[in-house]
Amino acid sequence: MSKEKIAIAYSGGLDTSVMIKWLKDKYEGADIVAVTGNLGQTKEIENLESKAIKTGASSFHFVDLRKQFVEEYIWRALKAGALYEDVYPLATALGRPLLAKALVDVAVEEGCTMLAHGCTGKGNDQVRFEVTFASLAPHLKVLAPLREWEFTSREAEIAYALEHNIPVSATKKSPYSIDENIWGISIECGVLEDPMVPPPDDAFQITVSPEKAPDQPTVVDIEFIEGVPVSLDGKEMTGLDLIVRLNELGAKNGVGRLDMVENRVVGIKSREIYEAPAATILHFAHRELERLTLEKSVFQYKKNISQDYANIIYNGTWFSPMRSALDAFVNETQKPVTGLVRIKLYKGSMSLLGRNSPNSLYNEELATYTEADTFNHKAAAGFIHIYGLGVKTFNQVNKNNG
Ligand code: ARG
């Protein structure tokens, strides 16, 4: 039997470390190609290469996906207004198709025969990874060791790791399961599993609690061109820098904490908390600019698209004709979404100070109640007469029928 070559989505954490050894045993001496994608996470990214090799990988790839993540994934989701079940900005969910694609690219380049990921059998991430694998590389066999292996606890995995000299940083064991990228941090497990328990302070990774935020507010000016943020406080920045900076400003003011019970793809409800300062601020600012610049029917119709788009991201069908078609619609709507939004961040809250745009549809001469008013008041009477004719007629005919 020829030797298998397996590309694994590697994070350097306990699960994917144990996975390397476990796969080598199961597929007799298979070559393991460990791949880590950089989506702007800050934890567990040091010494990944030496750790992977020590654990038994034949090679290691660290792929910088940050620019692509911002420009091809995050900005699309922002323009679409994609918030899952009206709350979650989809940081983890958006990262998965890109990580899966990066894994496939390396696997193809290295001539791998199999792909492996470290997701569990009851989460959303296995769905996102595997739907993407099937879409991009149906010829590669997919392995999900966590769905099959014998370990039933973290302790059992640690024991296996120690027995096989697998380097693990199990000392600073967190009671939470945490996934991090620049668009946000997802935190679950531990005491958070009881939806009545408020998140303890140690669950939050970057934001300060609103009570401990500064007494002085922070005001930010965000400028958008066609729905994409391009500058902060008058300074042009790359998307990546802009998100990093807004995360800092939001976190410092306690902005961007979310707590939700959500509906998973696999039919269960789970409680997760999120920290997503930049995403929270940008979605808010973007929507306020749309209120000013989108024509009424487009603005109202787009809400449905936002929900559909969020579901596509959450459910793992990023590489789909539906997503491309919705992108085309969304991009068309974004043409006038250019302008400035001024926001105040203060003790966990966000408020709008002002907005303007060269494409503003707000017409002061029509809106004003002063002498400057140019609205044709008399025309309103005829408009209402005809507009209400249908319901008026119905109610007259049916007045005796309750
Ligand atoms: N519930 C989020 C999602 O499905 C995050 C999943 C990963 N969460 C975690 N804490 N590791 O997108």
Side-chain angles (χ1 to χ4, degrees):
M1 206 176 81
S2 69
K3 215 159 116 182
E4 300 287 358
K5 194 166 179 183
I6 311 172
I8 77 161
Y10 177 72
S11 71
L14 180 65
D15 287 337
T16 56
S17 298
V18 167
M19 231 170 78
I20 292 181
K21 173 69 184 144
W22 189 87
L23 285 170
K24 281 177 78 88
D25 279 353
K26 181 157 166 122
Y27 294 93
E28 283 154 66
D31 272 337
I32 306 289
V33 178
V35 183
T36 303
N38 181 2
L39 294 178
Q41 66 274 32
T42 54
K43 304 240 159 69
E44 289 189 333
I45 54 168
E46 271 116 61
N47 311 318
L48 275 180
E49 171 150 27
S50 68
K51 203 165 162 185
I53 302 296
K54 259 187 229 147
T55 309
S58 331
S59 66
F60 171 79
H61 296 252
F62 190 65
V63 197
D64 189 355
L65 304 169
R66 291 174 300 172
K67 188 173 187 303
Q68 201 184 358
F69 188 41
V70 173
E71 291 171 6
E72 293 172 29
Y73 292 71
I74 291 174
W75 286 168
R76 280 181 175 151
L78 177 66
K79 286 189 280 185
L83 295 172
Y84 185 63
E85 295 180 341
D86 301 325
V87 176
Y88 167 41
L90 294 154
T92 299
L94 266 175
R96 298 306 180 194
L98 179 54
L99 288 173
K101 182 180 182 301
L103 187 67
V104 165
D105 289 344
V106 172
V108 168
E109 188 187 301
E110 291 244 355
C112 295
T113 51
M114 296 175 165
L115 301 166
H117 64 74
C119 308
T120 68
K122 63 194 253 187
N124 297 316
D125 289 327
Q126 54 175 346
V127 179
R128 298 165 183 153
F129 268 116
E130 292 180 38
V131 169
T132 306
F133 293 157
S135 304
L136 303 181
H139 62 289
L140 295 175
K141 189 173 152 89
V142 178
L143 307 170
L146 272 76
R147 288 202 297 246
E148 300 178 31
W149 70 23
E150 57 279 22
F151 312 115
T152 50
S153 69
R154 201 180 157 87
E155 287 63 37
E157 278 183 66
I158 293 173
Y160 178 91
L162 292 175
E163 187 188 328
H164 294 93
N165 291 321
I166 298 168
V168 287
S169 39
T171 39
K172 41 181 190 330
K173 179 191 159 203
S174 160
Y176 309 107
S177 158
I178 299 173
D179 181 70
E180 182 201 3
N181 67 48
I182 51 161
W183 200 228
I185 303 177
S186 310
I187 307 143
E188 62 180 347
C189 301
V191 293
L192 298 171
E193 284 177 1
D194 179 349
M196 192 58 197
V197 169
D201 250 355
D202 74 343
F204 293 105
Q205 310 297 306
I206 56 170
T207 54
V208 304
S209 76
E211 291 87 346
K212 290 190 188 129
D215 292 330
Q216 287 306 312
T218 302
V219 173
V220 282
D221 278 359
I222 306 167
E223 215 176 314
F224 291 82
I225 294 180
E226 299 194 4
V228 173
V230 293
S231 89
L232 208 59
D233 295 329
K235 212 174 123 210
E236 261 181 58
M237 290 186 192
T238 65
L240 185 62
D241 290 344
L242 190 142
I243 293 172
V244 169
R245 182 72 188 130
L246 263 187
N247 271 333
E248 287 166 8
L249 295 174
K252 167 179 113 165
N253 286 285
V255 169
R257 290 185 167 187
L258 307 164
D259 179 339
M260 83 186 283
V261 170
E262 69 193 46
N263 290 296
R264 281 197 191 169
V265 185
V266 296
I268 58 179
K269 286 190 191 289
S270 61
R271 194 274 189 104
E272 186 120 27
I273 61 172
Y274 298 101
E275 290 180 283
T280 303
I281 297 164
L282 287 173
H283 270 290
F284 176 62
H286 177 258
R287 188 142 174 80
E288 292 306 323
L289 191 56
E290 287 191 329
R291 287 183 200 280
L292 191 67
T293 57
L294 295 190
E295 185 274 328
K296 177 177 175 178
S297 61
V298 174
F299 179 79
Q300 294 185 351
Y301 186 78
K302 191 169 171 275
K303 201 169 159 44
N304 306 317
I305 301 290
S306 299
Q307 198 169 41
D308 291 341
Y309 204 98
N311 285 339
I312 286 174
I313 297 171
Y314 193 86
N315 297 340
T317 50
W318 180 262
F319 292 100
S320 63
M322 189 61 182
R323 201 263 303 155
S324 313
L326 292 185
D327 273 332
F329 177 87
V330 168
N331 283 333
E332 182 64 28
T333 65
Q334 295 303 289
K335 288 178 179 169
V337 187
T338 292
L340 179 90
V341 183
R342 180 166 296 156
I343 287 172
K344 182 169 87 174
L345 309 173
Y346 181 64
K347 291 193 183 289
S349 80
M350 207 169 40
S351 50
L352 181 64
L353 296 183
R355 65 300 243 177
N356 71 44
S357 164
N359 308 321
S360 170
L361 303 178
Y362 180 86
N363 184 330
E364 206 165 338
E365 288 181 359
L366 290 177
T368 185
Y369 285 91
T370 67
E371 290 293 319
D373 187 8
T374 61
F375 186 82
N376 183 349
H377 290 238
K378 294 211 171 75
F383 163 74
I384 295 164
H385 177 71
I386 293 172
Y387 169 77
L389 197 51
V391 281
K392 176 180 161 192
T393 306
F394 176 89
N395 283 301
Q396 273 175 340
V397 169
N398 290 275
K399 67 170 176 281
N400 297 323
N401 305 342

